Amino acid sequence: MSSASLSPFQALPALPTESVNLPFLGSRVTPHATFQYLLQDVSAKGVTFAVPRWVVNREHFEIGARINFHLPFRVGSRTQLEGEVISAEWDAELDAQRCVARLSGQAPLAYPVFASIETRSIVFNDEAGQPADPVELVRQLFRDLALLKRGTRVYFKHLVPLFSRITFFPTADYGELRRFVLSDIRNRIATNIAALDDWKSRVEASDFSVAQLPQCVDLEALRAAVEAEINNELFAATFESPAIKPYLDAIRLLEHKAHLDYNTLVLLYAAAL
């Protein structure tokens, strides 16, 4: 949608990166683990972020740790999503571990929302570089999240019969595993799909405006619905078969895309406050 079809009140202004005081989702590259962090600064020298004690999912980092911010840090027309921790210390005032990471790894810009390295601001543009329609962007993100979670269900559906062929558990033990662990994962995926579909229907209402986003969506509930139901490392260690790796890798890729969607929604949520 072009900016000509928008009223000035629909366009969202750029946000200073330090003004977004809501937790984003990040993940370790190796070993994989999801965590929440606060973005404090973005510059050509790197990204400063904090992991406060009060977030639900915490990680402790050492120098050299590789992480994925799942945020579009724009350099020119591309983004840099991964970083390597070059400084990590405890900040008593923040009650958080405060880290600096050097950015690495480039990818195409997925959405017209990005953190500009040059201006240190969050920008909401469309593909033509004009002010984006935030309502359509919110709708697009929820459609994508619902599709990604359905993709996870498809891959998991293929994994379950594979587990029965490769497991070394006695038949009775595998029955217990399937009944309590695998069924629980399947049910959680279904619950999260239903939650995402509900939010999607809310934002697709004809009278929805981006100002209503904080009333329509609970970010903690959304985070819980977006995060992984499957512990890839636990599954890989439990079943010890290369046959499951392609499926787990595919699920991990969907998770990374979902984290980027979630973080983009956090930016839109912050802009609506």
Side-chain angles (χ1 to χ4, degrees):
M1 183 179 294
S2 70
S3 61
S5 62
L6 299 175
S7 76
F9 302 103
Q10 290 176 291
L12 293 174
L15 290 172
T17 54
E18 64 272 14
S19 71
V20 184
N21 196 31
L22 296 169
F24 297 102
L25 283 176
S27 61
R28 285 183 179 271
V29 174
T30 305
H32 178 73
T34 302
F35 66 96
Q36 293 171 277
Y37 68 93
L38 297 177
L39 181 64
Q40 295 194 303
D41 189 34
V42 180
S43 72
K45 294 182 179 180
V47 173
T48 302
F49 68 99
V51 182
R53 199 193 301 270
W54 54 263
V55 296
V56 175
N57 290 343
R58 296 188 299 274
E59 282 287 307
H60 180 80
F61 295 101
E62 298 179 350
I63 293 174
R66 292 174 58 222
I67 59 178
N68 193 322
F69 291 102
H70 304 295
L71 265 178
F73 297 121
R74 179 167 170 172
V75 182
S77 62
R78 300 179 71 79
T79 62
Q80 293 181 305
L81 301 176
E82 288 189 12
E84 180 180 339
V85 174
I86 59 174
S87 171
E89 57 185 23
W90 183 257
D91 188 315
E93 184 177 349
L94 289 175
D95 196 26
Q97 187 184 32
R98 193 168 185 268
C99 304
V100 178
R102 180 174 51 237
L103 288 170
S104 62
Q106 293 192 348
L109 191 63
Y111 290 106
V113 174
F114 58 88
S116 171
I117 301 294
E118 292 80 10
T119 64
R120 292 160 64 169
S121 63
I122 310 297
V123 182
F124 303 88
N125 283 345
D126 62 17
E127 289 79 357
Q130 300 299 314
D133 179 351
V135 170
E136 185 52 39
L137 185 54
V138 168
R139 289 169 175 166
Q140 179 184 349
L141 288 163
F142 274 105
R143 292 175 199 135
D144 200 25
L145 282 171
L147 286 172
L148 291 169
K149 192 63 71 172
R150 282 179 166 79
T152 296
R153 180 168 63 184
V154 169
Y155 285 121
F156 185 69
K157 183 178 179 180
H158 287 292
L159 271 174
V160 172
L162 184 62
F163 290 146
S164 65
R165 295 197 297 270
I166 64 175
T167 182
F168 296 104
F169 289 106
T171 301
D173 291 345
Y174 179 74
E176 293 293 303
L177 176 72
R178 177 162 185 158
R179 186 158 52 250
F180 293 107
V181 178
L182 302 184
S183 293
D184 177 65
I185 291 173
R186 181 169 53 247
N187 292 337
R188 285 165 55 204
I189 292 173
T191 297
N192 290 336
I193 288 173
L196 290 167
D197 281 344
D198 180 59
W199 283 313
K200 180 167 70 73
S201 67
R202 294 186 195 183
V203 302
E204 287 181 339
S206 59
D207 61 346
F208 173 76
S209 69
V210 74
Q212 297 171 330
L213 189 58
Q215 288 74 49
C216 287
V217 179
D218 181 312
L219 275 185
E220 274 300 291
L222 178 60
R223 175 195 57 78
V226 167
E227 284 185 336
E229 298 84 6
I230 300 170
N231 185 313
N232 290 27
E233 278 63 41
L234 176 61
F235 269 45
T238 301
F239 294 100
E240 295 183 349
S241 171
I244 70 171
K245 187 177 185 302
Y247 294 98
L248 295 180
D249 287 347
I251 291 171
R252 177 74 53 76
L253 181 59
L254 295 180
E255 291 168 5
H256 283 193
K257 292 179 179 179
H259 291 169
L260 178 58
D261 286 351
Y262 172 84
N263 287 345
T264 305
L265 280 167
V266 170
L267 296 176
L268 289 159
Y269 190 102
L273 291 175

